Amino acid sequence: MKLLIINGPNLNLLGLREPGLYGSETLDGINARLAEQAAGYGIALDFFQSNHEGELVDALQKAGRECDGVILNAAAYTHTSVALRDAALAIGKPVVEVHLTNPAAREDFRHRSLLAGAATGSICGFGAQSYELALHWFHIRNTSMNV
Ligand code: DQA
């Protein structure tokens, strides 16, 4: 099984960006732990981050061709991007929406996710562990599909 972890705008600034909200760990640090976790599961992981909506659409489409699923933190585009929602629906692979924070507990404009209805499920509010929980779900799904 191969998965792509996609991170959207400003998540390259994790560690520096509003650490009281998003924590002090960098995206590289989070990804290194995810790579270790995935290796333990026998899952191959790729990582992609962009601040550009079209590049995120391209990454989702590529994952549809080359991967078995996606863990997606679309960051601010979660709340605005019809294009990312359409791409998530188009690729025909499970997409798990993740967020470090719980958008439902934040400003009103974060309460609506255009991706939630296109995703297999959403995991929010557990910091970097949101990604780990999503990866764990793929592991459970993978092992239960292989019995
Ligand atoms: C975020 C939540 C979004 O509302 C915000 O725009 C982000 C990060 C999160 O992981 O908590 O950039 O996706």
Side-chain angles (χ1 to χ4, degrees), residues 9-11 17 22 73-76 78-79 98-103 106 110 131:
N10 301 307
L11 293 171
R17 175 192 183 197
Y22 295 114
N73 186 348
T78 304
H79 316 296
V98 300
H99 298 284
L100 296 143
T101 62
N102 178 1
R106 299 180 60 192
R110 296 184 204 275
Y131 297 89

Side-chain angles (χ1 to χ4, degrees), residues 101-136:
T101 62
N102 178 1
R106 299 180 60 192
E107 303 96 320
D108 285 356
F109 65 85
R110 296 184 204 275
H111 293 183
R112 184 179 69 155
S113 166
L114 296 189
L115 294 172
T120 309
S122 305
I123 301 172
C124 314
F126 299 100
Q129 289 174 339
S130 294
Y131 297 89
E132 294 167 23
L133 291 166
L135 182 54
H136 188 63

